[in-house]
Amino acid sequence: MEIQPKTPSVKGPAEMFTGDVYFDVIAAPQPEPSRMRVNSVHFAPCARTAWHSHAVGQTLHVTEGVGLVQARGGEILVMKAGDTVYTPAGEWHWHGAAPDHFMTHLAMWEAPAEGPESAWGDLVTDEEYGNK
């Protein structure tokens, strides 16, 4: 057993996020065989991820606030504190805070045995987000 001290919060890079987003790493690469990853991600109103997908899927659990999530080609869905959202492997999607709320979620995913964990695409435009 090992206690891992908290690391400093990290600002989400501009090529992966729009707006003010910070994350705290909860579970980073662990010794094999674990491939679990968990971040607590904090979004200011209107802040969001770029389009992205995960090789082994992703689970989001909203801990505070109100957020939005969308799979490519799908509707924008509202997620609230207590909601859990599962995105299957390879599905392109984005998620972030609603226009008038902060939102925090736990982002949980596994790294594949080989290859990249995630693929990142274009930033979500204001039109895609719904700010016209």
Side-chain angles (χ1 to χ4, degrees):
M1 182 180 298
E2 175 185 336
I3 294 178
Q4 298 174 338
K6 183 184 179 323
T7 58
S9 297
V10 176
K11 180 154 179 49
E15 61 272 10
M16 298 165 71
F17 297 95
T18 298
D20 288 329
V21 178
Y22 287 83
F23 62 92
D24 295 302
V25 176
I26 295 173
Q30 304 293 323
E32 290 291 335
S34 177
R35 295 193 302 265
M36 179 177 64
R37 311 288 191 259
V38 181
N39 287 347
S40 179
V41 189
H42 314 273
F43 295 84
C46 292
R48 57 208 181 252
T49 67
W51 287 101
H52 64 286
S53 66
H54 299 275
V56 189
Q58 181 184 53
T59 299
L60 305 174
H61 180 75
V62 181
T63 59
E64 296 180 80
V66 179
L68 304 175
V69 62
Q70 181 183 30
R72 192 172 300 277
E75 293 180 42
I76 296 174
L77 304 174
V78 175
M79 53 185 183
K80 297 180 181 178
D83 289 346
T84 301
V85 177
Y86 175 70
T87 303
E91 182 171 77
W92 284 86
H93 65 287
W94 65 267
H95 38 94
D100 53 354
H101 291 277
F102 286 84
M103 189 271 294
T104 299
H105 66 49
L106 296 175
M108 299 166 274
W109 71 100
E110 286 185 84
E114 294 182 13
E117 297 175 19
S118 305
W120 288 88
D122 294 334
L123 294 174
V124 173
T125 66
D126 286 346
E127 291 75 24
E128 289 173 311
Y129 177 78
N131 282 346
K132 296 179 176 151

